[in-house]
Amino acid sequence: MINKELLKTESEKLGLTLDEMALERFDKYAELLVYWNERINLTAITEPDDIILKHFIDSLAFLKYCCPEKGASLIDVGTGAGFPGLALKIARPDLNITLMDSTQKKLGVIEEILKEIGLTANVVHARAEEAGHNKAFREQYDFSTARAVSNLRDLSEYCLPFVKVGGKFISLKGADAKNELEEATVAIKTLGGNVEKIDIFELSGCGERAIIQIQKVSETLDKYPRPKGKMIKQPL
Ligand code: SAM
């Protein structure tokens, strides 16, 4: 059982009002996360208050700085145990969410959690650099997002191809965000992006966080994303 009051007050600080249904869903999510984590390695964060702050609130901070229109489509690349994508779905059930990961067993847990909390999302087992060439995913989304998957330069190559021109890639980052952004400048331009803004904030006693918003201003060239080996050998 999580401290719903803490979740409620912390989300209010982000300007969000979670209704009783959302609080119940987060409670169940936390319970299942701890249960499955004993069977499959999902997260090092298992204390209830830490789950609230470092997973739920950290994910929901997205909505303080960026407010997708009703029914907008969003893909979470490398969602793992559902962060930020599944947390966003609970707070905003109207969003059309795709949760992508290269590890099938994590997605099995996600499907189980979705069923238990009574929500639906598109759960996709794929590597971002391959799915980015698939017409079903390429330039199909209003938003792409990711947390703790890769450095911003490589992450831009994973995430920008999924976004429609006019949409945004929202990157959730930690204290090193400004340096990552500097290193990713060429990649972002090359992939059709333009940095719109970076918001840096303190996550309730858990350290500095940043939300980087990158607008998709032109189509991504067909050759991107490249296979991972090439991304490592020839970084943009
Ligand atoms: N986003 C989650 C979070 O913040 O808790 C999970 C982070 S975990 C450190 C990184 C996740 O990205 C893993 O679940 C891994 O399987 C996935 N991943 C790594 N590279 C990927 C790729 N190229 N395509 C899709 N998923 C990938």
Side-chain angles (χ1 to χ4, degrees), residues 121-189:
N122 311 305
V123 177
V124 179
H125 178 217
R127 292 201 65 85
E129 63 274 34
E130 291 166 9
H133 288 284
N134 182 334
K135 280 200 181 97
F137 305 112
R138 189 177 178 89
E139 301 195 325
Q140 295 300 310
Y141 297 90
D142 299 313
F143 294 91
S144 66
T145 189
R147 187 188 79 160
V149 175
S150 188
N151 66 71
L152 187 63
R153 185 192 57 219
D154 296 349
L155 198 58
S156 298
E157 192 161 348
Y158 287 152
C159 291
L160 273 168
F162 291 121
V163 184
K164 297 173 189 170
V165 172
K168 281 183 190 178
F169 161 39
I170 311 286
S171 176
L172 276 51
K173 285 288 179 189
D176 203 33
K178 277 193 175 158
N179 289 333
E180 285 199 41
L181 189 50
E182 236 176 80
E183 279 173 18
T185 309
V186 174
I188 291 167
K189 279 218 160 67

Side-chain angles (χ1 to χ4, degrees), residues 55 77-81 83 100-103 106 126-129 147-149 158:
H55 280 324
V77 178
T79 190
F83 304 112
M100 178 176 284
D101 204 280
S102 54
T103 306
K106 292 186 183 178
R127 292 201 65 85
E129 63 274 34
R147 187 188 79 160
V149 175
Y158 287 152

Side-chain angles (χ1 to χ4, degrees), residues 90-142:
I90 295 175
R92 287 280 310 270
D94 62 287
L95 295 178
N96 181 4
I97 302 257
T98 297
L99 303 167
M100 178 176 284
D101 204 280
S102 54
T103 306
Q104 178 62 59
K105 62 181 179 181
K106 292 186 183 178
L107 295 176
V109 173
I110 294 268
E111 276 173 335
E112 186 67 29
I113 296 171
L114 281 166
K115 198 170 74 186
E116 288 281 335
I117 63 177
L119 285 173
T120 52
N122 311 305
V123 177
V124 179
H125 178 217
R127 292 201 65 85
E129 63 274 34
E130 291 166 9
H133 288 284
N134 182 334
K135 280 200 181 97
F137 305 112
R138 189 177 178 89
E139 301 195 325
Q140 295 300 310
Y141 297 90
D142 299 313

